[in-house]
Amino acid sequence: TLRYRRHFALSRIEWAIIGLLGGQPPSGLKELADRAGRDKSQISRGISTLVDRKLVARASDPRDSREVLLSLTPEGEATFERMMVEATTRLDDMLGTLTPATRTAFDDTLDRLIVEARRLLRQDQREG
């Protein structure tokens, strides 16, 4: 987070919002909050800051005029792309310290954890 604050002047929540909106179709506030695992009020404050900085745009939802759709502006998309380059470079640096065998074991373990996390999420969603 310190790196993103220093390089992009983004708070943790702003970084998460840009990451969730980047390369995705426009999202509503509730959907974005659910995907971030955050309260709508936290996301709303972050959105306001990003709108003021012209990184996020608000538009009326054509399906429900009471709702807004959120998307990255061209400047927001450029920021997202720079963030992804930075994150990929950082990850490559960290993973580069692993031996090939350790890297394979790490990837296998991570894959299993992702599968289990998705299973638990589906279970939670079914339970409401």
Side-chain angles (χ1 to χ4, degrees):
T1 308
L2 180 60
R3 186 173 207 77
Y4 293 108
R5 187 166 303 174
R6 186 178 320 132
H7 288 269
F8 302 102
L10 296 170
S11 70
R12 177 177 290 176
I13 195 74
E14 293 161 358
W15 174 85
I17 291 166
I18 289 175
L20 289 168
L21 288 174
Q24 299 293 318
S27 298
L29 180 62
K30 181 180 180 335
E31 176 189 350
L32 197 58
D34 288 347
R35 288 176 40 217
R38 300 290 185 120
D39 186 73
K40 279 179 25 176
S41 64
Q42 291 175 305
I43 297 295
S44 182
R45 284 191 297 274
I47 290 292
S48 292
T49 300
L50 293 169
V51 167
D52 289 346
R53 291 182 58 189
K54 300 189 181 352
L55 297 174
V56 169
R58 290 183 178 116
S60 295
D61 185 338
R63 296 167 293 159
D64 184 347
S65 61
R66 297 168 297 169
E67 298 292 327
V68 297
L69 293 176
L70 305 161
S71 61
L72 294 180
T73 63
E75 186 177 344
E77 285 288 350
T79 299
F80 171 72
E81 293 300 325
R82 289 193 314 273
M83 286 170 49
M84 293 302 99
V85 168
E86 178 76 22
T88 301
T89 300
R90 188 75 158 186
L91 181 60
D92 288 344
D93 289 346
M94 290 189 304
L95 294 176
T97 65
L98 302 178
T99 65
T102 303
R103 173 68 189 265
T104 297
F106 174 76
D107 288 344
D108 291 345
T109 301
L110 192 56
D111 288 343
R112 285 193 300 262
L113 290 172
I114 290 168
V115 167
E116 181 62 10
R118 288 180 177 152
R119 185 191 70 75
L120 291 170
L121 177 60
R122 284 191 305 273
Q123 179 181 336
D124 288 348
Q125 289 170 333
R126 281 192 304 270
E127 293 172 0

